[in-house]
Amino acid sequence: MHIRLRANLLAAVLLCFAFVAQAQQKKDITLEDIYQKGTFRAKSVYGVNWMNDGRYYSSQVPDEQNKVYDIVKYDVTTGKPVNTIIEGENLVPEGSDKPIQYDGYTFSSDEQKVLFSTESEQIYRRSSKAEFYIYDIASKKLTKLSDGGKQLYASFSPDAKRVAFARENNMFVTDLSNMQETQITTDGKFNSIINGYADWVYEEEFSFAKGFHWSPDGKKIAFYTFDETNVPEFNMQMWGDLYPEDYKFKYPKAGEANSKVKVSVYDVASGKTVKMDTGKEEDIYLPRIKWTNNPNLLSIQKLNRLQNTLEILHANATTGKSDVVLKETDKAYIDITDDLTYLKDGKHFIHSSEVKGFNHLYLYNMSGKLVRQITNGNWEVSEYVGYDEKNDRLYYMSTEVSPLERHLYSISSKGKKKERLTQEAGTHRVNMSNDFKYYLDYASAANEVPTVSLHTAKDGKLIKVLEDNEKLKNTLAQYDMAKQEFFTMNTPDGTKLNGWMIKPTDFDPNKKYPVLMFVYGGPGSQTVTNSWGGTNYLWYQVLADKGLIVVSVDNRGTGARGAAFKKSTYANLGKYEIQDQIDAAKWLGNQSYVDKNRIGIWGHSFGGYMTLLGLTKGEGVFRAGISVAPVTSWRYYDSVYTERFLKTPQENAAGYDDNSPLMFADKLQGDLLLIHGTGDDNVHFQNAVAMQDALISANKQFESFYYPNRNHGVGGGVTSIHRFNMMTNFLERKLINPTEVNQ
């Protein structure tokens, strides 16, 4: 009797444990979850357009009944709607019975008119054109901006009386009182003269597409003119029709002719245009123009071709005469930022610089005389947010806590009363209200989902969490998630490198695992940050579940650790970067839990270049590699980026060739998968073709795959899941379960 009772109790206990185990069993992440179903898509707070009173913002809200979008005003302190500013069904243009379907909107300075963009067409990374409409809130009248074709970068004047825009390489301005359109320039011509917007290389490397700015009083327009007549033309074929279409555009490769650039100012009242004096030298860059608070004084930043001398010019908008107020030189190069800020007192400006080894903020008078250094220390100001002159509080993001994190600080213009406003560990990005009363904090950390919260700017006090991504957190809890862990290592020469590692959830320190290293490694970049890793992080979970350790290490040349660390690779791009990755692989191979014969590497763009260097110069350290959209010779890449770090090929041929994987194709060791999009306007498919030709000539076997008409991101539609399925299968065959392992 007792024996039977004990047996029944034991059976019940075992059954209970079985139920618990089943309840606690977690799911495995699939590629379909990541790239098709959106299972792990994080929510955010989008479309926040701060209004003049920083307590309010506007946002697009779908009106399901009328199948349009309304513009709704919100109180940021409550997150609740205050009123509907514009009913979407009222946005009906003359001659139509249907409202427009807009994809963007901008208020005039007095918030009485709204500029809507519709039917937008993407051109390159930052450029697009659209049909624009003007809506008058009081009269509820919607008017088409122009009947002459789609416009680029339509913008209200500060006095809300006019709208300027570009179209077909020329500049125009429309008077809103009578909708009269005036053509400012007439010399615009495709592949020759561009007025009012950037050429390809300025858009890509100086990070702007709109090339005009209204003066503070709305009476003048400063604009760029690019003469790209002598810039060599690049030709791509777009596949699909019976006969492939030739797509040609001006693309200056390293050492080739750039556009000749000038800046002019158009006076609306007189109709006159005056060219600003930027010196006699034409082989220069003018990467930024900005109005000072004096409506007749334009600020122009000027770089020499090698980008190691920066001049800030102040130009008289009426006469064009200019003076150099600040000149900075560097042994390597100078990065361009948007930090230059002119104060409302009309007597000072703020400028950021690495002149003392770390990027910091400096205060100058209008003559360019240094007043004081505002921030100081062995850390970087990663972003200048803005200056609240009324309360003398300057806001900036920095790496003071750690190169792996970003935090918001405030400080006085005298460099006093510094205060850290973001407290949670991780990476923060802020959206500050125009009046500096509030900010939105977009925060994340490794292994932590992103959140969005509202804070008071003066003290960082939390008002409300706007998005906690609790649903995503609960979803992730159902899956078998491996933790991302941070580590540091020293190279043989004593250089300290930061890294992260993701191990399988059932990691056994007594086993030996294969490793995949993820690399980007380009100048000023970072892959090792305390932040949410997005889709790549989720893909690494799939790989970890298959028994792979995933690692990333930031080599010399990467950012957030000062100018010396970043610029140590100058004139030898690729040399020290790949040596650090090779040393990291060897360090990993010495860890007791790593199979040194199964270490792989992968990367995209600069990371694809690094992958090829690892397989050709690594002497067998890497068993396999996946190179996506790589540069294979810096001679093939654009002038601005390449010459910034390597000088011109005419001046530094060795810097271009000594670290080109094309030169080492015969030394390829390990299995290679080479992927590229044929429609890549940035890193041309030519790079992959040249690498394949070199490998074939060296009689080296490899795998390759091209994606027709896909651009540099190699995405769109089902392209991502197709690509990552292929990459995963390659890693399973060549790294995780290879048929042959090097001994």
Side-chain angles (χ1 to χ4, degrees):
M1 187 71 178
H2 293 293
I3 295 174
R4 185 179 300 169
L5 179 60
R6 283 199 297 270
N8 289 339
L9 284 172
L10 179 61
V13 170
L14 290 174
L15 185 63
C16 181
F17 274 125
F19 278 125
V20 171
Q22 187 175 10
Q24 291 180 341
Q25 186 176 4
K26 295 194 175 184
K27 296 184 282 187
D28 295 328
I29 294 175
T30 67
L31 295 179
E32 288 73 21
D33 284 325
I34 303 170
Y35 300 107
Q36 282 189 314
K37 298 178 182 178
T39 304
F40 309 105
R41 188 174 294 125
K43 291 184 178 181
S44 190
V45 177
Y46 301 107
V48 173
N49 292 311
W50 291 104
M51 305 198 72
N52 292 340
D53 184 333
R55 181 175 174 177
Y56 303 99
Y57 69 89
S58 68
S59 187
Q60 297 175 224
V61 177
D63 182 335
E64 301 296 343
Q65 182 179 351
N66 295 293
K67 297 181 180 179
V68 293
Y69 279 90
D70 298 334
I71 303 294
V72 177
K73 182 178 181 180
Y74 286 86
D75 186 325
V76 296
T77 63
T78 64
K80 295 181 180 179
V82 176
N83 64 285
T84 299
I85 303 173
I86 300 173
E87 298 282 356
E89 60 264 32
N90 291 335
L91 299 176
V92 180
E94 189 175 337
S96 175
D97 59 355
K98 294 181 179 179
I100 60 172
Q101 298 295 322
Y102 62 92
D103 42 47
Y105 70 97
T106 309
F107 279 96
S108 60
S109 58
D110 59 6
E111 298 181 345
Q112 296 304 303
K113 296 182 179 69
V114 181
L115 191 60
F116 288 99
S117 62
T118 69
E119 303 173 42
S120 293
E121 292 180 39
Q122 195 74 23
I123 303 174
Y124 296 118
R125 190 191 297 260
R126 297 175 177 85
S127 51
S128 62
K129 59 182 177 180
E131 293 287 3
F132 286 86
Y133 289 83
I134 305 291
Y135 183 77
D136 187 284
I137 293 176
S139 66
K140 297 184 179 180
K141 183 179 180 182
L142 184 72
T143 307
K144 192 174 184 181
L145 177 61
S146 176
D147 290 317
K150 289 189 175 182
Q151 307 93 50
L152 293 87
Y153 320 119
S155 306
F156 281 114
S157 60
D159 58 9
K161 294 180 179 180
R162 300 174 180 85
V163 170
F165 62 89
R167 181 178 58 225
E168 296 178 352
N169 295 39
N170 280 311
M171 280 287 302
F172 300 79
V173 63
T174 296
D175 188 325
L176 298 182
S177 65
N178 54 19
M179 296 307 294
Q180 170 130 15
E181 181 177 299
T182 301
Q183 186 166 340
I184 296 174
T185 66
T186 57
D187 59 343
K189 185 179 179 182
F190 179 70
N191 273 4
S192 180
I193 304 295
I194 305 172
N195 292 294
Y197 52 100
D199 68 355
W200 186 94
V201 75
Y202 266 63
E203 176 181 336
E204 177 65 27
E205 305 302 355
F206 288 131
S207 305
F208 73 89
K210 176 186 172 184
F212 66 88
H213 300 279
W214 283 100
S215 63
D217 60 2
K219 295 180 179 180
K220 298 180 177 68
I221 305 171
F223 65 93
Y224 280 94
T225 298
F226 292 85
D227 181 351
E228 55 179 4
T229 305
N230 296 323
V231 177
E233 195 171 66
F234 191 80
N235 183 31
M236 298 192 306
Q237 284 191 309
M238 306 305 289
W239 306 90
D241 293 333
L242 183 61
Y243 290 91
E245 178 186 349
D246 280 343
Y247 183 79
K248 299 179 180 180
F249 62 106
K250 297 285 189 169
Y251 184 105
K253 291 182 183 287
E256 299 297 317
N258 283 320
S259 293
K260 295 178 181 178
V261 187
K262 67 178 181 180
V263 174
S264 303
V265 173
Y266 172 79
D267 184 277
V268 176
S270 68
K272 292 182 178 180
T273 299
V274 177
K275 178 180 177 293
M276 301 296 102
D277 180 12
T278 56
K280 295 180 179 179
E281 176 61 52
E282 293 184 331
D283 198 11
I284 58 168
Y285 299 113
L286 303 176
R288 292 289 186 273
I289 60 174
K290 184 171 189 171
W291 286 97
T292 68
N293 287 300
N294 177 343
N296 199 49
L297 191 64
L298 181 69
S299 171
I300 303 172
Q301 294 186 48
K302 173 182 171 182
L303 280 174
N304 62 332
R305 175 90 187 221
L306 291 184
Q307 300 172 68
N308 56 16
T309 300
L310 170 69
E311 293 179 341
I312 297 178
L313 284 63
H314 286 173
N316 184 302
T318 302
T319 66
K321 184 180 181 301
S322 67
D323 297 303
V324 177
V325 296
L326 184 64
K327 183 175 182 179
E328 183 179 328
T329 60
D330 193 281
K331 292 180 180 179
Y333 57 88
I334 297 172
D335 285 318
I336 293 297
T337 72
D338 293 307
D339 296 344
L340 180 63
T341 302
Y342 289 87
L343 305 193
K344 293 177 182 177
D345 65 8
K347 299 177 180 179
H348 300 91
F349 64 87
I350 293 169
H351 173 60
S352 66
S353 173
E354 293 178 318
V355 67
K356 292 188 177 181
F358 291 86
N359 193 55
H360 282 292
L361 300 172
Y362 297 82
L363 181 68
Y364 293 86
N365 66 22
M366 289 297 286
S367 299
K369 182 180 179 181
L370 178 65
V371 177
R372 72 179 64 90
Q373 182 174 347
I374 301 173
T375 61
N376 189 24
N378 292 336
W379 44 267
E380 302 265 292
V381 171
S382 57
E383 180 189 354
Y384 169 74
V385 177
Y387 178 46
D388 177 4
E389 293 189 50
K390 181 180 178 181
N391 297 297
D392 189 29
R393 300 306 294 169
L394 187 149
Y395 296 91
Y396 64 92
M397 310 299 296
S398 96
T399 65
E400 185 170 357
V401 171
S402 165
L404 277 60
E405 302 197 356
R406 299 293 186 274
H407 288 277
L408 175 65
Y409 287 79
S410 69
I411 196 171
S412 75
S413 61
K414 292 182 172 59
K416 308 291 185 183
K417 301 177 181 178
K418 182 172 70 173
E419 184 177 357
R420 175 179 162 186
L421 299 174
T422 51
Q423 302 301 324
E424 295 294 323
T427 299
H428 299 261
R429 180 176 58 85
V430 303
N431 181 357
M432 185 76 68
S433 67
N434 299 330
D435 59 2
F436 298 98
K437 289 181 180 177
Y438 305 97
Y439 67 85
L440 296 180
D441 179 13
Y442 295 77
S444 76
N447 311 306
E448 299 288 341
V449 298
T451 62
V452 186
S453 52
L454 174 69
H455 301 255
T456 49
K458 65 179 181 179
D459 51 15
K461 182 181 178 181
L462 175 67
I463 298 175
K464 185 176 183 179
V465 175
L466 303 180
E467 179 57 66
D468 60 9
N469 269 306
E470 191 65 28
K471 182 180 178 181
L472 174 58
K473 188 183 297 184
N474 293 334
T475 299
L476 289 169
Q478 301 170 32
Y479 288 79
D480 199 16
M481 300 293 294
K483 293 292 185 183
Q484 183 176 357
E485 305 168 1
F486 294 98
F487 67 91
T488 59
M489 56 155 288
N490 291 323
T491 64
D493 68 0
T495 302
K496 179 182 176 182
L497 302 179
N498 296 318
W500 57 251
M501 180 181 298
I502 295 175
K503 299 173 183 174
T505 53
D506 60 354
F507 175 76
D508 181 348
N510 296 312
K511 290 184 178 180
K512 287 189 177 292
Y513 294 86
V515 169
L516 176 66
M517 295 177 64
F518 166 59
V519 62
Y520 184 77
S525 67
Q526 278 183 282
T527 58
V528 184
T529 57
N530 187 12
S531 61
W532 173 249
T535 54
N536 271 5
Y537 168 74
L538 294 165
W539 180 50
Y540 299 146
Q541 299 294 325
V542 174
L543 298 180
D545 186 56
K546 295 179 182 293
L548 191 62
I549 294 176
V550 186
V551 174
S552 190
V553 174
D554 275 338
N555 48 253
R556 278 173 289 179
T558 54
R561 293 182 59 181
F565 187 84
K566 181 176 69 173
K567 297 177 181 179
S568 62
T569 62
Y570 181 66
N572 283 297
L573 207 59
K575 178 179 179 179
Y576 300 109
E577 297 96 318
I578 196 57
Q579 188 57 55
D580 286 351
Q581 294 297 326
I582 292 169
D583 287 339
K586 291 178 178 177
W587 179 86
L588 288 164
N590 288 330
Q591 306 308 303
S592 61
Y593 50 85
V594 170
D595 181 350
K596 68 178 181 180
N597 294 316
R598 288 189 294 160
I599 297 177
I601 185 170
W602 96 276
H604 192 136
S605 195
F606 198 101
Y609 161 71
M610 292 282 283
T611 296
L612 291 176
L613 282 182
L615 292 176
T616 56
K617 297 186 74 175
E619 298 181 343
V621 169
F622 298 105
R623 174 70 176 82
I626 303 174
S627 174
V628 185
V631 172
T632 60
S633 170
W634 290 110
R635 292 177 181 271
Y636 295 151
Y637 200 52
D638 75 61
S639 56
V640 175
Y641 182 94
T642 310
E643 294 170 14
R644 181 185 303 156
F645 309 119
L646 277 176
K647 306 180 186 178
T648 65
Q650 294 89 338
E651 294 172 280
N652 183 25
Y656 282 77
D657 299 333
D658 289 354
N659 296 290
S660 165
L662 297 179
M663 301 298 178
F664 305 95
D666 62 330
K667 299 185 184 305
L668 177 75
Q669 295 187 52
D671 296 300
L672 167 65
L673 173 59
L674 178 58
I675 299 171
H676 216 119
T678 68
D680 192 336
D681 63 283
N682 185 1
V683 180
H684 304 144
F685 184 54
Q686 171 190 24
N687 286 271
V689 171
M691 190 69 209
Q692 294 194 27
D693 191 41
L695 290 168
I696 293 167
S697 297
N699 196 24
K700 292 290 185 178
Q701 293 296 320
F702 61 97
E703 297 179 30
S704 68
F705 198 94
Y706 62 85
Y707 283 91
N709 303 334
R710 288 354 183 248
N711 62 18
H712 191 53
V714 199
V718 298
T719 303
S720 290
I721 190 167
H722 184 280
R723 177 159 65 92
F724 279 90
N725 256 318
M726 176 172 54
M727 291 165 61
T728 303
N729 291 337
F730 176 83
L731 293 171
E732 286 183 302
R733 289 186 290 112
K734 300 299 185 181
L735 195 63
I736 300 172
N737 298 303
T739 54
E740 292 183 14
V741 178
N742 293 338
Q743 299 297 323

